[in-house]
Structure formats: C-alpha cells, structure tokens
Amino acid sequence: MDVILGTPAYLPRTRLPYLFTALQAAGRRIIGPTISDGAIIYDEIRGVEDLPRGWADQQSAGHYRLVPGNADRYFGYVVGPTSFKRFTFPPTVPLWRARREGSEVTTEAIEPEAPALAFLGVRGCELAAIGVQDRVLRDGFVADPDYAARRAAIFIVAVQCTVSASTCFCTSMGTGPEVTTGYDIALTELNDGYLVEAGSEAGRRLMDTLPLTPAESVQQDEAKESVAAVRRTIGDPVAVEGLPARLLARLDDAGWAAVAERCLGCTNCTLVCPTCFCTSVGQVSDLDGTDSIAERTWDSCFSPTFARVAGGDFRPRLQDRYRQWLTHKFSTWVDQFGSFGCVGCGRCVTWCPVGIDVREELARIAPVETVAPVVAGETIQRPVAVPAAPPAPIALPVVGSTVSADFSRATVTRIKPETVDTYTLHLTDLDPRLLATQPGQFVMVEQPAFPPVPISVSRIGPSGIELTVRAAGPATKAITMLAPGDQVSLRGPLGRGWPLAELDGRDVILVAGGLGLAPLRPLVEAVLARLVPSQKVRLYLGARTPADRLFVADAAAWARTAGVDFEETVDRAGSDWTGRVGIVTHLFDEAEWDGRDAIAFVCGPERMMQAVAATLTRRGVTPEHTWLTMERHMECGIGLCGHCQLGRVFVCRDGPVFSVAELGDAFGQEGL
Amino acid sequence: MGRESRRADVRVGVARFTSCGGCQLTLVGLHDALLALFERVSIVEFAEVLSPRSGGPYDVLLVEGSVATPDQARRIVELRRQARALVVIGACATTGGIQALRNWADGDAWRAAVYPNPEFVAALPTSTPIADHVHVDAELRGCPIDPGQLKEVLTAVLVGRRPQLAETAVCAECKRRGTPCLLVDRGLPCLGPVTQAGCGAICPAFGRACYGCFGPVATPNVAALRAQLAGQGRSDEELGRLFAGFTANAPAFRAVAQPPEHNE
C-alpha cells in the first residue's frame, strides 16, 4: 500500500519479522532490546526471537527486576540500564594519532567509524536524549566529528510507551511518554500488532516495503488511549517551573551535604544517563613515547580526578560533585544548550545502588516556595536569597575566525628560562590563525604520549607566539625540555580573550599574581601600544619571591613608560630585595585613584583574584569592568569534554576570560 | 625531553615480600610487550624468572607482598635506599593482603596452634602494606594486578609521564563494559561502588559481585554502602565478613571488616 507521511498503518504481530528483514535489507545492523544478565539491555539483535517477549521490568529507586509481563508483547518493558548513546557516543573512541620522529611531530585525526545502524525500540525520553546530545555534540560550538558521523548513519524505529515505571518522569520534563518527533518510524504496540507511523521520508520508504494494512480507527484509538493512560499514571512528579533559578539560589543549601552522606560517588547515575557526555582522554603509547593514540573514554563529574589540576581539586567533596551534577542537569544545561540536561527516563533513580532519587532531592533542595514572590505583609516560610542579579550574558568566540579547533604544528626556535621552573618557548612556522591569537587566548599543546596541556599565549608577535610554561607536572616538564628545532603540535587559538574593545580610552588597572602575568603580557603590550595621553595604566605585580618574577626586562620597560604607574611586591624577600613585601592588594589598598571609570584585568590564583576583585569593588571598579582569567581542568579546549565547567560556563569555550558580572555567584563559590 | 637518553640502561628489579608471587608473574604474562620491554630495560633482579641476581641500585623496583616479619621490615628500608622509583604491586603490598586478617587475631596463639615449634617462626603480629614502612612512588592495586596497568606504569616510567591509572570506582568500568549493576538487578552484595577500578570489572561481567581486591577508592562512602546492604536484610556478621577480604586492612575497609572467627 502507498503510505503518506503521518498516515498510520497496521502491522500484525506475526509480521514483525518483516521489519527486521526490511532494515537488514537496507544494510543496517539492528540495535534493540534483549535480555542479558538479568536486565533488558540494548545490543545487536538479529530477529524477533532476540526481543524480550513477555517480560516486564519492575523498577524503583535502587531496584530493578525482570518479571513476567503480558505474554505476547515484545515491548512490555520501560527502559533498562543501557541507553542508545552507547552506539552514537561509544564508551571508548580513538581520536587522534601522534608521532614524533626526531624533531618532527605529526598529529592526525582518526577517521570516525559510522556503521549503518537501526535503533529499534527508542522511547520518547530516549529520542529526547538523542536530541539533547545532538545539541551538545553535533550542533554546538564545535561539532564532535565522531558523534556527527555515527549519528548521521542511524535509522530510528521508535516505540510508544504503553507501560511506565515508578521511576519515570518524562511528563514533567516534557519528553514523553508520547513519541512526537525525531524518528523515522514509530510503533505503538497493540493487542495483536502495531500501529506504524512514518516520521521521515526514509521511514516512509521503509514502510512501503512492509506488509501493512490501513489502520482502523479503533486501532488508532486504542494506541492513543494506551499512551494517554501512561501519561496519567506518571502524573507530574517534578515541578520544573522556575527550577533552574530555584536550584542556583540554593548553592549553599545544607541539602547537598545531606545527600552526600548517602551518595557513593560511584558514577553510576552519570554513566547510565542517556545525555551525560563528559569524557577524558587517555594516551596509549609505545614504550618510547614516540607513537601514541589518544583515546576518549566515558568519564563522570563524580570521578575523583575529574576537576583536578596540578595545584589541587576544584571539587574535592562528594557534595561538590553531587551539586555539580544536579545543577548541571536541571539548571546550567539550560544556559549552555537551551534545554534541560534531563529527559526524565529515571535511569539514575533505578541504577543508583543506594536509591537516591533526583525527584526527591530536587524537591528537598529546591522546593517551589523558595522563589515565591514576596507579598507585602506575608511571611515566607523559607526565605532564600535569590541571586542578586542574574549573571551577565556571555558572547561566545567565533569558531573559524577567532578560534581554531584544528591541530597545527609549530617549531620551537628559542627557549628562555624565566625562573627556576618556568620557561618561555618562542614558536615560529605557525598556522596563520595562531598569529591572529587574541591576548588572553590559549592553545592546547599536544605531545605524543602525554596528556594535552592548556597553555596561555604570553606574547603574540608578527612571526611567532610565545608560551610561558611552568614545569608543574610531567607533561608541562616535557614541554619545558623541548629543544630549539623541535616541533610541537598545537590546537588553537582557543577560548575568548581579554575584551580589548572595552578599553575605550578608560584608565586601565592590571593586576597579576605569579604565573598569572603570562596571559596578561600580550594585553599589557596591546594596552601600551594604543595608550592615549589622557589614559592612565596602573600595573600591579605580585610574585612569591624576587626569583619568581616573570618577564623582568619587560616589566622594567613598562615601569619606564610614560602614563604607567608600576608597582610590584613579593610574598617573601631575601636580603637583596629592597622593594615591597606583602600580598598584591596591599599595593593599592591606600592608593588615591578612583576606579569608577576604570577597567581592570586580573590574573593569578583564584583566591588572589577574589581578594583583588573585592578591593577593586571597594575602589569603585564595576563588576562589568573587572575581568579575570579562570583556571579549571581542561582536556579538549572546545567545550566537549565537560571537565572545565564552572556553573553555567565552560571555561575553555566561554572564557577563560570573564567579567565578575558574567560569573555572578559562580565566582568564589567553594567546590564549584 | 632527552628522547635519545631514554635508551640508556634502565635497571628494573622485582622484590618479593609476603605474597603468593602471582603479581610478579603478571610481568611474565605481558608476553610480546615483555619482549619489547627487554629491549629497553635491564631486568637486574627477578628471582622467579632469572637465575643471575645482581641487586641494586634500581631505577624502578617493583615490590610485591606485605611486611610480615621483622626481617622484612629491615629489608624494605634497605631496598628503598637502592631504588629511584619504588612501585608497590598487588593487594598484599598496597594493603597488607589476605594475610592481614591476622591483624584481628592473637598472633602468638595462632602461631602456637599452627606450628609444632612456634619459637622458630619469626613473624610480626601484623601484616602491613609497604607504604606503612617506606615512601612509595606508585601503587598498582589488585589480587592479582592488572597486566594493562603494569604495562602502563612501566611505559610511563620510560616515557617520563604520569601513569594513567583509574581512580574511579569499579562501577565506571561495569558501565563502559555494559554490565548491568548486580546490586540493583540481582541484589548481590557488590563492593564495586567503593572499590577502585583498574581490573576492567571482570567479576561483575561474569555475574560475581566485586569483593574489593583493588581496595577502596580515594573517598569511599563505605558507611552508605553498608547501610544499603544492611537495609536489604544482611546481618552485621555477613557485612563484617564482606569487607574482610584481600584488602581488609585498607583503612576504609578495616573500620568495618570483621573476619568470621571473631564474631562472638
């Protein structure tokens, strides 16, 4: 029969094998539900005999059991521990191969595999989850080539939910139970067969090859009613109205510590989640370290190493990790990608070994009444500080013009020691895009066998750039031990730099602590190059000891420049130091200037930046004009691996430079 | 980064303390990778494999086994002095091993019960991890260790990078493997959520609950897991025994472990 898109047809259950044959004839392997290890998982299936006919799944928080269900039904279960992301976003994927021969380095991306697959049995929530991952990994800032290739090769056979579990909350998240869009064909399981609907041209063509009959209206009514019954059963368990703001208002809630008492930090919730996309990159290398493959592996914000950097861990406590996960799913994801990160499938509830239920935690930590408007004369039971001002919007850098996600090579031409453990590498033979690096941007330095390291660009010249690197660990040490003539592989320029457009003739305050001077140096040079007579530049530098000062010759030249007020201090001095001693804010605690029309740029350890920002505020510099560069664990540099999140921002993608106004409550928040 | 100098003679030794020897044999089990390794390092001390014995100094010394005798307590200090990098391998070396169950017992009474002439047996009352005696540079967990992790740590030493050793719970490896959670779908008492990964989640993949041979993760919430298992109707006795396995003496497990003989 001739099927028009959207016109339902009927396939008797006995003829379901024809669907398998048709998909296989189209050259597709079928991924669908099958029983393994006591659960209904998704794996390759070859025919109806692999389907979990007659089985249902009984689910509650921390509990899953297969139980006999309607004996005839193939799709009488809800969702199991697997999600289809296993096939669009596999647990381990090789990304690139890096080789060093003598001083030459080559880095080449590994071609993605994209098998032609058909997903069978995709539920409403799962279709929504695929949509969420599409927005993150395919349609976002930089597309992940592996995901995009795999995703393009998928044919989707959706199945309407005619049963639900106690853990389901798709109705609240607006993702189900009805399958409404994003599929090629959709089935609704009826007593004796399936209502079949096409959702795409490809689906319509497939339907042409099936032995269908026109669907009778009674069959259509039965299909509608069975899905509607599921909606009624689930109800509306999560109050999503205003949820993002409610959660952000509760960053200091005692509930985080309470849930951390129960949380195992085991990562199960994130790895069964069909939308979680955080990964880490590992290096598989030969014994010489000259040939290696970078592999991307599923990771989790609950991993102990996830937010770790050379200097420590940004989320050391379980409560920090739980808060990151829950606030990301239900709040900051909306800022980042325009939808919730949760689709209400309930997997995290069922598969939490101790049965922590996100629905209960949301209700406990962010109850609806917390943002109820204050009515005059009425007492609110739990008054809560809503963020004073919503954080300022952030303009992303533009991929292709100011940001390059591609690998390129450069040659080390000079290496200059700055301090006992810090060196400046001068790089030439660059990709022209790197010569257009903006002050404040960074590059990922990729060496065979070593993890990629983000390094801010410390000078941008006409024919080369400089990177100033402290040997904080083995990977950075290896960079400082490169010799002139050696090549390095780089990805960049990356991130959003200092907002030079905001200078606008304003007085400029520059404050650096230690290695924080590195990303500030190109800014200082840019500021001085366009200095106008009416403009004042105040430069305050801090270092641990006199021997830890960077760019001493440059600093001396800046100090001599007309219009520049230059002061520096050290935390600890030797007998030959005659300058100031103490923390950097002491340099302008008693200064005379008024900061109301000034713009400030600050870089250093986070605690130092907090102290500086507070002092600047007291001197009248506005949060909109106080700019910082933030440090977080970065692996990909392009907003795909998830490591560098700080509240609603990805430090690598949206920053690393931010104004205090943009960061809002996220700045100075412990454990974020 | 001294790429040429890497080929210099790297002296690797293997030392054994109280253990079964299975972990050091993992080195032999590396097969082809071992041959490649032999081209780049000199194995100067490996009593189970090589007849010639030359002793220290060592660039890398792999130490297997726990400290269980007064003599071993002296010897590990001497070996540490000879080793640039000391890597402890296996549950015995990293936690004290199964033999650390003696730490719950009256050692003299046991010795008297087992040996006809207990006075000839010089044993400490406890079995303790190497790190209780000397500084260790890296540790490979497990009973036995994972060959992939052993290869990784040796590669990392040769390349000069930090070894990439998993610090997540075993659960992460079950999920990547696609093994449904045994705690949730069968109600088995699995220690995976508090146990460090690195084994590849072998046991759960075969339907066997994790018994914690890799020892606790860095921040284990043992109390919460124990409470959950207790809530499913398990007795204190059963729970005490659950943690009294190959890594019973690891502090996080020791606090709740109770070997069976001592449940009065």
Side-chain angles (χ1 to χ4, degrees), chain B residues 126-147:
Chain B
T126 56
S127 168
T128 46
I130 300 297
D132 280 9
H133 301 266
V134 294
H135 171 76
V136 304
D137 297 294
E139 58 176 35
L140 292 182
R141 309 281 196 90
C143 180
I145 57 169
D146 174 73

Side-chain angles (χ1 to χ4, degrees), chain A residues 218-382:
Chain A
V218 60
Q219 290 165 331
Q220 296 189 40
D221 291 346
E222 186 195 339
K224 271 208 189 72
E225 173 48 29
S226 55
V227 183
V230 167
R231 173 170 282 280
R232 289 193 297 273
T233 306
I234 298 173
D236 185 11
V238 176
V240 297
E241 185 70 33
L243 184 55
R246 268 187 278 140
L247 266 174
L248 283 195
R250 308 291 297 199
L251 288 180
D252 296 320
D253 197 88
W256 303 113
V259 67
E261 293 275 308
R262 297 173 62 207
C263 175
L264 301 172
C266 65
T267 74
N268 277 336
C269 49
T270 53
L271 298 181
V272 293
C273 176
T275 68
C276 274
F277 61 91
C278 287
T279 53
S280 285
V281 170
Q283 311 295 324
V284 184
S285 81
D286 65 353
L287 292 170
D288 293 329
T290 53
D291 192 343
S292 65
I293 287 177
E295 274 186 354
R296 184 188 74 193
T297 306
W298 283 358
D299 204 341
S300 164
C301 51
F302 285 93
S303 291
T305 52
F306 196 72
R308 197 184 284 170
V309 293
D313 188 349
F314 285 105
R315 294 188 211 111
R317 302 168 300 180
L318 272 176
Q319 69 186 77
D320 303 330
R321 297 172 194 167
Y322 192 87
R323 183 179 67 180
Q324 164 61 25
W325 179 64
L326 202 74
T327 54
H328 190 212
K329 286 287 166 199
F330 294 95
S331 179
T332 53
W333 201 300
V334 180
D335 294 302
Q336 294 167 354
F337 303 108
S339 74
F340 284 115
C342 172
V343 296
C345 70
R347 283 183 177 87
C348 60
V349 181
T350 299
W351 297 97
C352 173
V354 294
I356 296 172
D357 187 331
V358 283
R359 298 168 297 184
E360 290 171 10
E361 297 309 320
L362 287 170
R364 197 196 323 270
I365 292 169
V368 174
E369 66 267 25
T370 58
V371 286
V374 180
V375 179
E378 194 177 312
T379 321
I380 289 178
Q381 283 187 320
R382 301 178 59 186

Side-chain angles (χ1 to χ4, degrees), chain A residues 183-203:
Chain A
Y183 57 88
D184 293 297
I185 64 174
L187 311 179
T188 313
E189 188 161 42
L190 307 175
N191 274 335
D192 301 307
Y194 302 88
L195 192 76
V196 186
E197 292 164 282
S200 73
E201 187 52 35

Side-chain angles (χ1 to χ4, degrees), chain A residues 36-39 41 62-65 81 86 91 100 102-103 260-264 266-268 271-272 281-283 285-290 297-299 303-305 308 316 318 321 350-355 449-451 473-474 478 481-482 486, chain B residues 1-4 6-7 33 36-37 40 151-152 154-155 158-162 164-165 167-169 171-188 192-194 204-205 207 217-225 228 232:
Chain A
S36 174
D37 299 320
I41 64 157
H63 183 88
Y64 178 103
R65 289 291 183 282
R86 186 168 196 86
R100 180 181 285 284
S103 50
E261 293 275 308
R262 297 173 62 207
C263 175
L264 301 172
C266 65
T267 74
N268 277 336
L271 298 181
V272 293
V281 170
Q283 311 295 324
S285 81
D286 65 353
L287 292 170
D288 293 329
T290 53
T297 306
W298 283 358
D299 204 341
S303 291
T305 52
R308 197 184 284 170
L318 272 176
R321 297 172 194 167
T350 299
W351 297 97
C352 173
V354 294
F450 284 89
M481 290 176 76
L482 288 165
D486 281 349
Chain B
M1 123 111 263
R3 287 184 296 283
E4 280 68 38
R6 261 188 233 137
R7 299 208 180 248
L37 189 68
R40 285 160 185 81
K151 185 164 170 264
E152 168 59 21
L154 294 171
T155 305
L158 291 177
V159 172
R161 67 162 147 80
R162 185 171 287 130
Q164 307 165 107
L165 301 172
E167 290 184 47
T168 51
C171 304
E173 294 188 323
C174 269
K175 293 295 167 290
R176 293 187 198 119
R177 242 183 127 119
T179 307
C181 182
L182 297 169
L183 275 152
V184 173
D185 81 356
R186 298 186 210 180
L188 295 180
V194 294
V217 287
T219 47
N221 194 345
V222 171
L225 180 63
Q228 178 72 9
Q232 293 167 349

